[in-house]
Amino acid sequence: MARQTRPLAEHYGDLVRVSLMEARPAGLQTRQLVSATRLTKSQVARGVRHLRDVGAAEHLTPIIWRRRDGYMFSEDPADWIEYEKKQFQQILSRLTRMITGRSTRTWPATPTTSGPSSPPPSSLASARRWPSSPGSPTSNSLTSP
């Protein structure tokens, strides 16, 4: 079941679709879409989401994005498969990092504030845990050790 569309999202999607059809077979970067449609960056993103939702629901030519070409309609199924594989890899990487606890951000080598009250970065990770339940002995784990 497709999401219920809003009139503005549909309007933004139409403007983005017309701009991409005029640029076909080449694609348009986000800033070019902003310039061509006279919409804001967030409105262009909303229009692209609408095009993806409608295209998937009605089995239309999907809109893909490449770093080199930007947003585009491609008739080649190999492009669709490549795009979907990259999207899948991105989601899989996010889930893997979330499950394993790894993130792309790391603690600085030295603490930014000095003094006896600031624990070293290695103990910060162990001090910040969610309480397990209101009455459990570990429910007070957010306080400093």
Side-chain angles (χ1 to χ4, degrees):
M1 183 171 152
R3 253 190 300 187
Q4 189 176 18
T5 61
R6 298 182 185 142
L8 281 178
E10 189 174 340
H11 175 69
Y12 300 152
D14 288 341
L15 291 174
V16 169
R17 182 183 53 79
V18 167
S19 296
L20 289 174
M21 294 299 279
E22 289 174 356
R24 205 174 203 179
L28 292 175
Q29 297 290 339
T30 304
R31 67 180 181 280
Q32 293 170 321
L33 277 171
V34 166
S35 175
T37 59
R38 295 190 176 121
L39 297 173
T40 65
K41 200 173 180 180
S42 63
Q43 290 169 334
V44 167
R46 204 167 165 194
V48 168
R49 278 194 309 270
H50 173 76
L51 286 176
R52 285 194 175 135
D53 288 346
V54 169
E58 297 179 8
H59 304 290
L60 301 174
T61 303
I63 183 172
I64 63 171
W65 182 85
R66 291 187 195 150
R67 181 182 296 265
R68 182 189 57 205
D69 302 321
Y71 292 103
M72 63 187 297
F73 290 114
S74 176
E75 296 292 334
D76 186 15
D79 290 339
W80 307 341
I81 293 169
E82 177 189 351
Y83 175 76
E84 291 298 326
K85 282 182 179 179
K86 287 183 181 182
Q87 292 291 62
F88 179 75
Q89 283 291 350
Q90 184 181 22
I91 292 169
L92 182 64
S93 295
R94 286 180 186 171
L95 285 172
T96 303
R97 284 194 309 264
M98 183 182 72
I99 291 170
T100 60
R102 288 189 343 231
S103 71
T104 56
R105 297 187 181 120
T106 58
W107 289 98
T110 58
T112 56
T113 60
S114 61
S117 64
S118 62
S122 61
S123 66
L124 279 178
S126 62
R128 294 184 179 164
R129 287 188 222 120
W130 288 101
S132 56
S133 65
S136 71
T138 60
S139 65
N140 201 7
S141 64
L142 290 177
T143 59
S144 61

